[in-house]
């Protein structure tokens, strides 16, 4: 099949290229744009308590003020606020309200903090129902400019924090992140390819070709959003860029290395490209299939964020695979050997390379190499015991100099940290009977006695009196472990237990959302991981016609995952000052390390099978496979790790964690798993690794019943 595809592409390269251009133009011009979203609650199913609480708020309290931002005032000299200062704060709040800033319903001044150092004004905004709506962020931008004008000459310092202000700062930071990641990815690919091939044409090939398919993939994802109600948003753009350039460059390298090998064996450029597509097509397709099913497994997640991100990235990888099998061979077949210009190293294979020496060492002592590589990964995996999840993706990822962060620090000097995002508790009657004053007062008293609760506002009753809402300010920051523990272990149980007979209590708000997300992620770990692993094992089994090899290949990937999580956790939480790793990181890392790590395992084990079919013993096959596939895997691993590492340039701790984890995982997958552990273990297991399909023997030399005929074991 792949030989036929290669012949078609090589004979009609201009038609293939024209087809890609036409499809790209059509999709890009017709597809909608990816929008942004910052509504964590929109990613949870309706069955979770925080979502049920949000439904009560919309039904019973539609006019309840939504605090989108908090203005924090203090004296510029750091002293206590005076009565005159408080009067100025009231004036400033009234002036800001009078400006009729779009999406600002009111700016309501509050009281000074008990220690007199801080005073706040709450910015009431309409509740946003469309996740792509950025009007609150625009309002904060306008509000910040007007605020600084109003406090001139007052001796006051003021800043704006809260969810809308944090979202604005995060959006501005992500714009810089996207630029850095895009430029950094391209620079790393070009520089590394120049060093590997010494050819400017090859160095620019991925940039040009993937630059064409990147907007095509983005357009297809946006179209899938519209067609299938997916919620993939612009937040995946940085990750999408890295995946397309990283994976795409990998597939181009797989093809070019095999093409160069065919040329060195004396084939002409046209037949050499057909040979390359035939030989590497199955490995690329299987590798891409592993990545696609791993990403697609995220559709089983209960979190809309992951549910949509997985299929979106799967679409991108599928487009990249199609380009790798058609567009890339078409372009290279037109260029012929000029693709390597000005280097002439493609004409002869260097002797005495490090990969040849490594392959020889593994072939001679596979047990030693298997044990050492397993120990390296096992020791690193011990660091995973210190893993701790962090749900505060906004504030923990922003630089401390951003206004929302500075204002938050000022706020915590005088008020409970939970002031920016109060927790909402709703008490509803099971019947049409209204709640009594005694019931609402007693319930408020019980809430105020819960450990970790700072203050509880007076009950706000619904129009018909059958529901009451309480604003609960926690002692700790809304996304902190302490606040989540308060809601999960104390506030929710107390609210249920102390709700008057005939009523129901629901706890909502951002902290409750984080608690529910934590529960959803734990569920996803138990479902997504096994399904992805099982699907990848099926692909490996079909590729290798073996029931044995998929097990130890997946075991090696599991070791690589543990090593990566351990190293990342140790670096950022033990050496660094992060409160934990982003809660989605293990899911994303598992899928990338498992799927992309399997890419290299597939390439190596395919070459192992090829060498074994050529008549080599298991030990010789391992040595030869490392000699031939080692340069490809090493080059692809360095480039892919480098592209993921560009995420660390974003100045965002969340992306820095992701960038380090994925780049380190790829290094482990390429240089430890695929290049050492897999060939060493395959050599140790020998012919049994291919049971029951005899995948290491030439199919045309099998006698009836599976026995090999004479002459089937010949040297290549």
């Amino acid at each position: 099949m792949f030989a036929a595809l290669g012949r078609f592409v090589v004979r009609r390269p201009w038609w293939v290229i024209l087809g890609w251009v036409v499809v790209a133009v059509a999709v890009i011009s017709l597809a909608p744009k990816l929008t942004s979203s910052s509504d964590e609650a929109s990613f949870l199913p309706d069955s979770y308590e925080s979502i049920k609480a949000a439904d009560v708020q919309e039904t019973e309290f539609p006019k309840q003020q939504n605090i989108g931002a908090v203005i924090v005032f203090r004296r510029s000299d750091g002293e206590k606020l005076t009565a005159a200062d408080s009067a100025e704060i009231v004036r400033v709040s009234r002036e800001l309200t009078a400006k009729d800033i779009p999406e600002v319903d009111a700016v309501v001044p509050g009281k000074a903090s008990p220690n007199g150092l801080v005073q706040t004004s709450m910015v009431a905004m309409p509740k946003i129902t469309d996740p792509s709506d950025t009007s609150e962020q625009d309002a904060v931008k306008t509000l910040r400019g007007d605020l600084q004008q109003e406090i001139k000459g007052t001796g006051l310092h003021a800043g704006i924090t809260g969810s809308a202000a944090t979202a604005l700062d995060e959006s501005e930071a992500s714009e810089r992140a996207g630029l850095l990641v895009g430029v950094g990815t391209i620079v790393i690919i070009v520089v590394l390819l120049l060093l590997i091939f010494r050819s400017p044409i090859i160095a620019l090939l991925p940039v040009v070709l993937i630059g064409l398919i990147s907007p095509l993939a983005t357009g297809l994802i946006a179209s899938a959003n519209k067609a299938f109600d997916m919620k993939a948003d612009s937040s995946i753009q940085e990750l999408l860029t890295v995946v397309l350039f990283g994976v795409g460059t990998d597939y181009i390298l797989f093809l070019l290395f095999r093409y160069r090998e065919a040329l060195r064996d004396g084939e002409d450029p046209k037949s050499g490209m057909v040979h390359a597509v035939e030989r590497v097509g199955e490995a690329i397709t299987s590798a891409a299939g592993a990545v696609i099913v791993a990403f697609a497994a995220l559709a089983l997640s209960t979190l809309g964020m992951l549910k949509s991100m997985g299929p979106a990235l799967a679409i991108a990888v599928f487009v990249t695979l199609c380009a790798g099998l058609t567009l890339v061979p078409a372009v290279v077949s037109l260029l012929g050997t000029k693709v390597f210009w000005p280097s002439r190293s493609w004409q002869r294979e260097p002797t005495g390379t490090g990969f040849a020496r490594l392959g020889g060492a593994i072939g001679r002592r596979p047990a030693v190499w298997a044990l050492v590589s397993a120990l390296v990964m096992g020791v690193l995996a011990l660091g995973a015991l210190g893993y701790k999840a962090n749900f505060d993706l906004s504030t923990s990822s922003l630089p401390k100099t951003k206004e929302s962060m500075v204002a938050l620090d000022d706020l915590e000097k005088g008020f409970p940290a939970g002031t920016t995002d109060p927790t909402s508790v709703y008490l509803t009657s099971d019947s049409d009977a209204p709640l009594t004053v005694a019931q609402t007062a007693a319930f408020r008293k019980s809430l105020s006695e819960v450990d970790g609760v700072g203050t509880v506002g007076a009950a706000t009753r619904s129009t018909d009196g059958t529901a009451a809402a309480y604003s609960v300010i926690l002692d700790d920051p809304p996304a902190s472990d302490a606040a989540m523990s308060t809601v999960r272990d104390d506030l929710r149980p107390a609210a249920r237990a102390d709700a008057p007979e005939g009523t129901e209590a629901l706890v909502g708000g951002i902290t409750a959302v984080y608690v529910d997300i934590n529960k959803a992620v734990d569920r996803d770990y138990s479902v997504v991981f096994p399904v992805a692993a099982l699907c990848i094992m099926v692909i490996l089994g079909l590729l290798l016609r073996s029931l044995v090899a998929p097990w130890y290949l997946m075991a090696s990937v599991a070791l690589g995952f543990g090593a990566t999580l351990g190293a990342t956790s140790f670096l950022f939480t033990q050496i660094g000052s992060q409160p934990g790793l982003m809660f989605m990181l293990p899911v994303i890392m598992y899928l990338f390390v498992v799927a992309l790590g399997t890419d290299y395992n597939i390439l190596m084990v395919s070459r192992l099978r090829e060498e074994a079919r050529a008549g080599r013993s298991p030990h010789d096959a391992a040595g030869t496979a490392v000699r031939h596939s080692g340069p490809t895997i090493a080059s692809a691993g360095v480039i892919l790790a480098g592209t993921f590492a560009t995420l660390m340039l974003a100045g965002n701790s969340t992306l820095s964690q992701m960038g380090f984890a994925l780049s380190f995982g790829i290094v482990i997958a390429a240089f430890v798993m695929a290049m050492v552990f897999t060939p060493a273990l395959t050599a140790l297991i020998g012919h049994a690794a291919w049971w029951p399909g005899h995948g290491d023997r030439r199919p045309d030399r099998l006698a009836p019943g599976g026995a090999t005929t004479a002459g089937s074991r010949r040297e290549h």
Side-chain angles (χ1 to χ4, degrees):
M1 181 182 76
F2 292 104
L5 177 63
R7 285 192 294 271
F8 174 82
V9 171
V10 169
R11 289 171 183 169
R12 300 173 180 82
W14 285 112
W15 285 105
V16 172
I17 295 170
L18 180 62
W20 273 94
V21 171
V22 170
V23 171
V25 170
V27 171
I28 294 168
S29 60
L30 297 175
K33 292 186 178 294
L34 287 178
T35 56
S36 62
S37 171
S38 59
D39 184 5
E40 290 86 349
S42 68
F43 296 121
L44 281 169
D46 295 338
S47 58
Y48 285 89
E49 183 173 340
S50 58
I51 306 304
K52 292 179 179 178
D55 291 340
V56 171
Q57 187 269 319
E58 291 179 9
T59 303
E60 302 293 343
F61 304 94
K63 295 183 179 180
Q64 184 180 23
Q65 285 187 336
N66 172 54
I67 305 303
V70 179
I71 304 177
V72 183
F73 296 90
R74 63 172 174 81
R75 285 183 60 88
S76 300
D77 57 12
E79 298 296 322
K80 289 185 178 182
L81 294 165
T82 64
D85 293 329
S86 294
E88 281 293 334
I89 292 171
V90 171
R91 179 193 64 79
V92 169
S93 301
R94 288 175 179 168
E95 291 290 339
L96 292 175
T97 301
K99 290 181 181 293
D100 289 328
I101 299 171
E103 303 304 319
V104 175
D105 292 338
V107 179
V108 184
K111 295 181 180 179
S113 62
N115 61 11
L117 294 176
V118 180
Q119 189 166 336
T120 61
S121 287
M122 300 297 177
V123 182
M125 295 179 167
K127 185 174 178 62
I128 297 297
T129 56
D130 180 4
S132 64
D133 190 346
T134 60
S135 57
E136 279 193 352
Q137 298 176 33
D138 297 335
V140 170
K141 186 181 294 185
T142 302
L143 199 60
R144 281 176 170 170
D146 291 344
L147 173 64
Q148 297 308 315
Q149 291 295 324
E150 292 294 336
I151 64 172
K152 277 186 178 179
T154 63
L156 294 172
H157 177 277
I160 303 178
T161 187
S163 58
T166 301
L168 173 62
D169 289 342
E170 194 174 22
S171 175
E172 292 175 347
S174 67
E175 289 177 5
R176 172 178 172 270
L179 178 62
L180 284 173
V181 169
V183 173
T185 297
I186 292 172
V187 168
I188 285 178
I189 289 174
V190 170
V191 170
L192 290 177
L193 284 176
L194 274 173
L195 292 174
I196 293 168
F197 287 97
R198 300 179 180 87
S199 165
I201 297 175
I202 290 180
L204 294 175
L205 192 63
V207 176
V208 175
L209 296 184
I210 300 170
L212 170 67
I213 66 173
S214 179
L216 169 61
T218 303
L220 288 174
I221 292 167
S223 298
N225 275 354
K226 186 176 181 179
F228 303 106
D229 195 29
M230 286 169 44
K231 295 180 181 177
D233 63 19
S234 59
S235 65
I236 71 165
Q237 196 64 59
E238 290 85 8
L239 196 56
L240 188 63
T241 298
V242 172
V243 168
L244 283 169
F245 277 96
V247 175
T249 303
D250 267 10
Y251 296 163
I252 291 174
L253 283 176
F254 291 174
L255 192 73
L256 284 176
F257 270 99
R258 201 58 189 250
Y259 177 55
R260 187 175 67 178
E261 188 177 330
L263 293 176
R264 285 171 174 173
D265 287 341
E267 297 193 46
D268 65 86
K270 297 291 185 183
S271 62
M273 179 51 66
V274 174
H275 176 90
V277 173
E278 177 188 9
R279 289 293 188 177
V280 87
E282 186 179 32
I284 288 179
T285 303
S286 300
V291 178
I292 289 169
V293 299
F295 287 157
L298 282 175
L300 299 173
S301 170
T302 53
L303 291 173
M305 185 190 314
L306 297 179
K307 186 188 291 286
S308 297
M309 182 183 72
L313 294 178
I315 290 171
V317 174
F318 177 74
V319 174
T320 307
L321 168 65
C322 294
L325 293 175
T326 58
L327 181 61
V328 176
V331 172
V332 175
S333 67
L334 286 175
L335 294 171
T337 57
K338 294 184 181 67
V339 75
F340 299 105
W341 180 88
S343 173
R344 296 183 178 274
S345 62
W346 62 271
Q347 296 176 337
R348 60 193 179 280
E349 181 180 356
T351 58
T353 65
F355 296 105
R357 291 192 294 272
L358 175 63
I362 291 174
R364 288 190 299 272
R365 296 182 178 84
V368 173
W369 286 94
L371 179 62
V372 169
S373 56
L375 282 175
V376 168
M377 291 187 287
V379 170
L380 288 172
L382 293 176
L385 298 175
Y387 167 73
K388 186 178 179 183
N390 175 35
F391 289 80
D392 189 4
L393 302 187
S394 296
T395 58
S396 66
S397 65
L398 283 173
K400 299 301 181 184
T401 55
K402 285 290 185 180
E403 182 174 331
S404 59
M405 300 302 296
V406 174
L408 181 61
D409 287 341
D410 289 340
L411 176 73
E412 293 178 3
K413 294 173 183 176
F415 289 103
T419 303
T420 55
D421 278 299
T423 294
S424 300
V425 180
Y426 299 96
L427 186 66
T428 58
S429 174
D430 293 339
S431 63
D432 293 333
L435 300 171
T436 66
V437 174
Q439 285 177 321
T440 57
F443 188 65
R444 178 192 180 192
K445 183 175 183 298
S446 66
L447 293 178
S448 64
E449 293 172 352
V450 173
D451 289 340
V453 170
T455 61
V456 180
T460 301
R461 299 168 68 88
S462 62
T463 304
D464 60 4
T466 59
Y470 301 85
S471 179
V472 178
I473 295 178
L474 304 178
D475 289 334
D476 303 290
S480 66
D481 284 343
M484 291 174 61
S485 177
T486 296
V487 169
R488 181 183 59 246
D489 302 330
D490 300 308
L491 185 58
R492 276 182 170 171
R496 294 190 192 104
D498 296 333
E501 186 176 351
T503 66
E504 180 186 21
L506 295 171
V507 178
I510 194 63
T511 305
V513 169
Y514 287 137
V515 170
D516 290 341
I517 288 177
N518 190 16
K519 183 179 178 180
V521 168
D522 288 342
R523 177 264 179 198
D524 288 349
Y525 286 166
S526 65
V527 174
V528 175
F529 282 17
V531 169
L534 179 62
C535 290
I536 292 174
M537 286 186 68
V538 169
I539 289 175
L540 288 171
L542 293 174
L543 169 68
L544 304 175
R545 285 82 170 172
S546 167
L547 294 178
V548 176
W551 286 98
Y552 70 79
L553 291 176
M554 288 306 296
S556 72
V557 172
L559 272 175
F561 167 77
T564 304
L565 182 60
T568 307
S569 181
F570 183 76
L571 177 65
F572 284 94
T573 62
Q574 302 297 319
I575 297 179
S577 58
Q578 291 297 309
L581 302 182
M582 61 174 292
F583 70 93
M584 293 187 300
L585 187 61
V587 176
I588 296 172
M589 191 184 73
Y590 174 85
L591 294 174
F592 274 91
V593 173
V594 167
L596 299 179
T598 304
D599 270 14
Y600 303 136
N601 265 344
I602 286 175
L603 189 68
M604 177 58 74
V605 82
S606 296
R607 192 62 188 241
L608 284 165
R609 182 183 61 178
E610 184 179 330
E611 297 302 332
R613 282 179 169 180
R616 290 186 168 84
S617 68
H619 286 221
D620 289 341
T624 306
V626 171
R627 176 165 66 90
H628 284 298
S629 294
T632 309
I633 292 172
S635 301
V638 167
I639 289 175
L640 189 57
T643 55
F644 279 130
T646 59
L647 291 171
M648 301 176 70
L649 300 174
N652 177 310
S653 66
T654 298
L655 290 178
S656 293
Q657 290 176 15
M658 188 184 299
F660 173 82
L662 297 181
S663 59
F664 186 83
I666 294 302
V667 168
I668 290 290
F671 292 92
V672 182
M673 283 165 41
M675 208 177 299
V676 178
F677 188 76
T678 293
L681 207 54
T682 304
L684 275 177
I685 297 173
H687 297 300
W690 312 103
W691 183 87
H694 300 289
D696 59 336
R697 298 172 186 173
R698 291 177 61 91
D700 58 340
R701 298 300 179 90
L702 284 177
T708 56
T709 61
S712 65
R713 310 295 294 173
R714 63 178 178 83
E715 288 296 321
H716 177 60

